[in-house]
Amino acid sequence: MTTRVVFKKASRWYGPVMALNDVSFELGPGVYGLLGPNGAGKSSLLKMASGQLRPSQGTVELLGRPAFGSPEVFHAVGLCSDTDAMFEDFTGLQFVSSLLSLNGFDRAQAHKLATEAIEIVDLKDAMHRRVGGYSKGMRQRIKLAQALAHQPEVLFLDEPLTGMDPQNRKRISDLMKRLGDEGRTVLVSTHILHELEQVTRRVLLIHNGRVLAEGDLGEIRDLLDRHPRSVRIKAKDTRGLARELVTLPDLVSLNLEDATQNLLAEIRKPDAFFTKVQEVSATYGVEEMWVTDENLESVFSYLVSK
Amino acid sequence: MSNESTPLAIRPTWPGARDVFAISIERMLPRPRSFWVFLLLALPVLLAVLLRIYPPKGLPLTGFELYGVVVALFFVRNLLPLVALLFGSALISDAVDSKTLTYFLTRPVSRLSIFLGEFMAYLVTVLTLTVPCVVLTYLVLCVGTPQGAGFGAADLVRDLGACALTLFTYGAVFALLGVSLKRPLIPGLLFLFVWEGFVANFPGDAPNYTLSAYARSLIRHRPSEEGLAELFSKFFGVGESVLTLGIVGVIALALAIWIFSRREYVISS
């Protein structure tokens, strides 16, 4: 395997705050998910991987060189950062092609590559408009275009699907998969497990600056499924619904909240539970359903305690 | 397309700087800051127009001498250092504040190229704003006077050179301040109005340690100081002034690049 990104006992702190703690892993070709709740250290890890931050301890290598202080690697590295910053007065095409010129492409090459990348992210119709006037989803896509345009071997994508509609999420997810299949290394961060499942099965689980687990998404999914999740349901006939749900094997507890008359269920396998609720929703008049700890924080705390 | 066999080499300094410049100039020139600075620089032109329309009675100066006073006092002594502070100190911090520095730092260009590209964009921007104002001031005060517009044209060219050198030196000093301090504006203002403003006019050797005294020495066609003013206005030779301003500018620029090349920029969302 061609190893392109190597973290060796890398730590990073900002003053007294530890952002990343003793992290070691290696990445070769393919798509890797970086999964963790907000504040877990995903962005710090990506910034170190992409040479923006130097490790306080340990080493980070990108394409065989120290990631920090080796700008030459950016011929073969693309970054879509989490910051919503761009050259606001530039058009989409101008934005991407001017960044390509920094890679050494001449005007004609830059124009060609920029147009191709913009087509890939489906922004061709808007490429002559100012990026300052783009919607959130369009801004994400043009950021992605500038990361892809020079066809890098390694791509770092920090929350790339933020603000995109379902159609474009699917398009970009497929694109990430394709890039991985082509032999590129794609490290994509997210705090939404479901998004990652559509792209890859290889993940790094990160929490409180530590990589908790590294491996197949299925194993992590199993771990997550063992952790009870709380679901709150608002329905017209909560008692009838409760009678229906109480027979489910993975139900841990079921309560009727006094104040709201909502049903509060603790479950182990959310997918099976959601399917069941969907089946009977018309019968019992289910109006709303929400997972109270969808935030990965609680799940990760659970994993840490295991 | 990049692949495993692509040789990874940093881009040469000047082509990299040129490409950074091309991006930066498009972002720097059309900013509101440029508009306000242009208005500031246009104030001497307005003053020149007023002096032509309502010439003060008994003023013992020709139009050309008056132009010399305006260039020395308003442009070189006060406005250009202020403009250099506004632009120079924000050279890198603007890109940090707007979070766009990441786009430069994650491309195969050296930090030296990035800084030089930004500095060139600064120089071109401020010269684009300054040159028309100086030329207009000259034209307003000299055209139609008994000496004629052609008189002192060579001095105008030299004055533009003096303005460029002033902007270069102060710009480099304030760029150094900008990469060294988080909030460079107040220290910059103190430097301009306390150190440069007062010390340059002290008697004795004190003005040797100010940029202002060398910069004003480049304007040779102003009326000479008389009496007490002469005592408090030290002037240097043109060669000495050019050399001093040039050396200070280059040293400040080198230090600023050295700091910028080693600094880590934490840009978060």
Side-chain angles (χ1 to χ4, degrees):
Chain A
M1 182 178 92
T2 314
T3 306
R4 289 172 177 152
V5 183
V6 181
F7 274 63
K8 275 187 201 154
K9 295 186 161 296
S11 299
R12 168 74 202 196
W13 46 85
Y14 305 102
V17 178
M18 179 74 89
L20 220 57
N21 188 2
D22 200 27
V23 169
S24 297
F25 64 85
E26 293 185 358
L27 304 181
V31 183
Y32 299 82
L34 183 60
L35 182 69
N38 287 328
K42 300 191 296 292
S43 290
S44 291
L45 188 147
L46 281 176
K47 283 188 170 75
M48 284 165 75
S50 58
Q52 295 175 73
L53 296 179
R54 58 163 78 88
S56 308
Q57 251 176 22
T59 59
V60 179
E61 284 184 9
L62 183 55
L63 299 169
R65 296 157 203 239
F68 188 87
S70 304
E72 65 274 14
V73 298
F74 289 104
H75 282 294
V77 175
L79 169 74
C80 176
S81 79
D82 60 337
T83 52
D84 185 34
M86 266 169 268
F87 306 152
E88 302 291 333
D89 291 327
F90 283 28
T91 66
L93 180 63
Q94 203 183 359
F95 175 62
V96 179
S97 60
S98 62
L99 290 174
L100 280 167
S101 72
L102 295 180
N103 280 60
F105 293 102
D106 63 33
R107 189 184 287 258
Q109 284 175 312
H111 188 277
K112 181 175 168 286
L113 289 172
T115 309
E116 283 171 8
I118 288 170
E119 268 178 15
I120 289 172
V121 298
D122 196 30
L123 267 180
K124 201 170 178 201
D125 291 345
M127 71 180 188
H128 295 297
R129 279 169 47 196
R130 280 178 62 246
V131 294
Y134 280 10
S135 69
K136 172 83 179 157
M138 291 163 85
R139 290 170 74 83
Q140 279 296 112
R141 282 186 281 151
I142 202 74
K143 263 169 38 184
L144 205 54
Q146 63 79 29
L148 297 170
H150 55 296
Q151 300 171 338
E153 284 169 40
V154 180
L155 266 162
F156 297 114
L157 310 176
D158 201 350
E159 307 270 359
L161 302 177
T162 307
M164 284 190 201
D165 57 55
Q167 200 182 348
N168 279 307
R169 276 171 186 263
K170 170 89 173 67
R171 177 193 301 277
I172 302 303
S173 296
D174 289 347
L175 171 67
M176 285 191 263
K177 261 165 85 173
R178 198 172 70 236
L179 292 167
D181 293 343
E182 285 174 4
R184 299 175 206 275
T185 300
V186 183
L187 180 58
V188 49
S189 85
T190 178
H191 61 277
I192 302 170
L193 183 63
H194 173 69
E195 276 182 1
L196 212 51
E197 282 178 312
Q198 297 172 349
V199 180
T200 184
R201 300 199 61 77
R202 286 180 286 193
V203 290
L204 295 167
L205 267 183
I206 183 168
H207 183 58
N208 283 344
R210 280 183 170 276
V211 172
L212 293 184
E214 183 188 348
D216 189 81
L217 190 58
E219 295 163 22
I220 290 157
R221 170 56 100 177
D222 288 345
L223 276 172
L224 292 172
D225 280 352
R226 268 182 252 149
H227 171 58
R229 315 280 293 275
S230 299
V231 180
R232 188 170 278 119
I233 306 169
K234 184 180 178 186
K236 287 200 172 87
D237 181 5
T238 40
R239 288 176 192 281
L241 181 63
R243 275 194 299 277
E244 193 78 47
L245 297 177
V246 81
T247 58
L248 288 172
D250 294 306
L251 188 75
V252 177
S253 68
L254 193 63
N255 293 295
L256 193 63
E257 290 181 320
D258 289 339
T260 58
Q261 289 296 296
N262 288 340
L263 210 55
L264 186 64
E266 267 202 311
I267 50 169
R268 286 200 192 279
K269 289 197 171 162
D271 293 347
F273 181 83
F274 293 148
T275 308
K276 181 69 181 173
V277 174
Q278 203 123 36
E279 281 170 15
V280 299
S281 66
T283 313
Y284 301 104
V286 175
E287 292 170 351
E288 279 179 59
M289 177 171 71
W290 59 100
V291 182
T292 58
D293 59 0
E294 187 61 55
N295 182 335
L296 275 178
E297 182 69 44
S298 60
V299 179
F300 275 76
S301 302
Y302 171 79
L303 286 174
V304 175
S305 68
K306 283 272 131 187
Chain B
M1 178 185 142
S2 302
N3 55 47
E4 299 286 343
S5 59
T6 305
L8 299 177
I10 197 161
R11 291 192 63 207
T13 301
W14 287 110
R18 179 201 59 209
D19 293 329
V20 172
F21 166 79
I23 294 174
S24 300
I25 191 74
E26 285 218 41
R27 301 180 63 217
M28 215 179 269
L29 203 51
R31 281 200 175 166
R33 180 188 293 151
S34 301
F35 173 74
W36 294 114
V37 162
F38 183 73
L39 288 187
L40 191 70
L41 290 168
L43 285 177
V45 184
L46 186 69
L47 178 73
V49 171
L50 289 175
L51 285 172
R52 276 308 292 269
I53 299 173
Y54 308 107
K57 282 190 180 127
L59 189 71
L61 297 177
T62 63
F64 182 67
E65 285 173 330
L66 212 51
Y67 157 74
V69 172
V70 172
V71 168
L73 190 68
F74 285 90
F75 285 106
V76 173
R77 177 95 172 265
N78 291 301
L79 292 182
L80 297 188
L82 191 63
V83 168
L85 171 64
L86 294 175
F87 278 92
S89 65
L91 209 59
I92 299 300
S93 62
D94 266 4
V96 174
D97 292 343
S98 66
K99 297 174 182 174
T100 52
L101 186 63
T102 306
Y103 291 115
F104 292 123
L105 295 181
T106 54
R107 297 283 158 177
V109 287
S110 65
R111 294 211 181 185
L112 170 64
S113 295
I114 296 171
F115 197 95
L116 289 177
E118 290 277 3
F119 192 76
M120 287 192 300
Y122 148 78
L123 270 184
V124 170
T125 300
V126 292
L127 282 172
T128 304
L129 301 173
T130 303
V131 169
C133 295
V134 175
V135 173
L136 270 176
T137 306
Y138 169 81
L139 291 176
V140 169
L141 289 173
C142 298
V143 171
T145 60
Q147 291 161 311
F151 183 81
D155 284 303
L156 171 66
V157 174
R158 275 195 290 271
D159 291 347
L160 292 175
C163 290
L165 186 58
T166 303
L167 286 167
F168 166 78
T169 307
Y170 277 102
V173 168
F174 291 130
L176 172 62
L177 210 61
V179 294
S180 309
L181 305 174
K182 214 164 191 176
R183 303 195 189 287
L185 206 58
I186 301 295
L189 286 170
L190 288 174
F191 171 72
L192 274 188
F193 293 109
V194 177
W195 182 261
E196 293 282 287
F198 287 108
V199 180
N201 295 316
F202 280 3
D205 288 337
N208 294 9
Y209 305 103
T210 66
L211 298 174
S212 178
Y214 294 98
R216 73 184 176 202
S217 300
L218 294 173
I219 309 297
R220 310 303 293 181
H221 52 84
R222 70 203 178 285
S224 55
E225 310 282 356
E226 289 172 2
L228 257 186
E230 190 183 3
L231 184 68
F232 288 98
S233 299
K234 186 168 183 179
F235 288 93
F236 302 95
V238 172
E240 188 184 0
S241 299
V242 169
L243 200 66
T244 306
L245 290 173
I247 288 172
V248 170
V250 167
I251 290 173
L253 206 56
L255 278 173
I257 290 167
W258 187 78
I259 292 170
F260 175 64
S261 300
R262 275 148 190 80
R263 248 188 93 172
E264 189 185 55
Y265 289 90
V266 181
I267 295 168
S268 55
S269 59

